[in-house]
Amino acid sequence: MTGLRGAVAPQTAFWRLAVLGLIAGLLSGLFGVGGGILIVPALVLIGGFEQKLSHGTSLAAVVPISIVGAATYLIGGYTDLLLAGLLTVGAVLGALVGARLLHGISEKWLRWLFIAFMAAVAVRLFFEVPSRETALQYTVWIVIVLLALGLVTGILSGLLGVGGGVFMVPVMIVFIGVGDLTAKGVSLLVVIPTGIIATILSVRNGHVDLRAAGIVGVAGAGTAAAGAALAWLLPPRLSAVLFAVFLLLVAIRMAVRALRSQSKLAAPERKEEERDRAQSDTGA
């Protein structure tokens, strides 16, 4: 299948995509993330997708997964529409103007700062028992903080290719004091509109495999509700530890990817230095 501009996509086996969707949906519902953090690398590894196509396909697949997960949290009473609305406004703005705001900022250093932040938050979650109750008072200061959080989320998602939930959920729990289940439900709500906008843009650019996105999305939607229900059943302490482990795995994956990218960039420079040294030795 192809996007509107005819992007060529490998024909990955149906069962592989279905299994990927089932796992991504379960993790999405359990941790309140879109699922892209798993889908993107999996499409590259098991499907042979190139990077832009895997990102676009993941965005499309995440939308139905997030809808089902968010609906499940909403039915259970674990959400906050005002909180989700404020974060969405900030996230959309961040996605639209992120390139201008980050002009001149080194992506390499921003990536490593994000990795360090995720690791630090994960460590804190190991020693903190999140509340199941939400008592957020919407003062002017809180509204400004939430808009800023959404803005930063949109920027990071666009620049680093990380899902918004990976950043939003721990910040809401650790620094704003939102209940863990409400934070996850709100995160999934925010993913929906931002995911739809990003998917439309990706389809127009031909960066979506509609067949793969459909299989992964439908399969994931089937387990997203189960993941959310499992999150309700887990004690807050165990839920925090599992989420901390998840964040550490995300940080490790990003660190490995960053090191590999730096290694690839440094390889031509090393070859050039060796060539210059060899020429120098020959001249001597």
Side-chain angles (χ1 to χ4, degrees), residues 9-21:
Q11 290 296 304
T12 309
F14 177 92
W15 70 269
R16 289 176 180 269
L17 295 172
V19 170
L20 171 59

Side-chain angles (χ1 to χ4, degrees), residues 49-272:
F49 282 55
E50 58 93 20
Q51 201 65 36
K52 288 184 179 179
L53 187 61
S54 66
H55 274 285
T57 302
S58 172
L59 287 169
V62 158
V63 172
I65 294 174
S66 299
I67 289 174
V68 173
T72 306
Y73 277 99
L74 185 62
I75 292 172
Y78 296 110
T79 192
D80 185 325
L81 295 179
L82 178 56
L83 176 57
L86 291 170
L87 290 172
T88 299
V89 170
V92 170
L93 290 175
L96 292 176
V97 304
R100 294 182 179 179
L101 292 176
L102 289 168
H103 180 67
I105 294 179
S106 171
E107 180 182 335
K108 182 181 88 169
W109 290 112
L110 184 63
R111 185 180 297 276
W112 282 110
L113 284 173
F114 181 78
I115 291 170
F117 176 78
M118 286 290 98
V121 171
V123 170
R124 179 165 174 175
L125 281 172
F126 273 115
F127 302 98
E128 183 169 321
V129 180
S131 171
R132 284 280 152 97
E133 300 296 327
T134 303
L136 196 60
Q137 301 295 323
Y138 287 98
T139 62
V140 173
W141 171 245
I142 285 294
V143 170
I144 293 174
V145 168
L146 293 174
L147 289 172
L149 172 58
L151 184 68
V152 173
T153 299
I155 293 171
L156 290 174
S157 298
L159 185 70
L160 303 181
V162 297
V166 172
F167 180 69
M168 276 190 296
V169 173
V171 171
M172 281 191 282
I173 294 174
V174 173
F175 298 106
I176 302 180
V178 177
D180 62 332
L181 295 180
T182 299
K184 294 172 183 178
V186 166
S187 171
L188 289 172
L189 275 176
V190 176
V191 168
I192 296 170
T194 54
I196 290 174
I197 293 172
T199 298
I200 293 172
L201 295 175
S202 296
V203 170
R204 287 179 178 176
N205 292 327
H207 295 151
V208 177
D209 177 359
L210 298 177
R211 170 183 173 271
I215 296 172
V216 174
V218 171
T223 54
L230 180 60
W232 302 351
L233 297 175
L234 291 177
R237 175 62 180 160
L238 178 57
S239 179
V241 169
L242 290 176
F243 191 48
V245 172
F246 176 74
L247 292 178
L248 284 176
L249 292 175
V250 171
I252 292 171
R253 174 183 170 269
M254 290 187 67
V256 171
R257 183 179 175 185
L259 290 172
R260 286 177 178 175
S261 298
Q262 291 177 22
S263 178
K264 289 180 180 179
L265 291 174
E269 297 179 1
R270 287 197 299 267
K271 289 182 179 179
E272 186 175 347

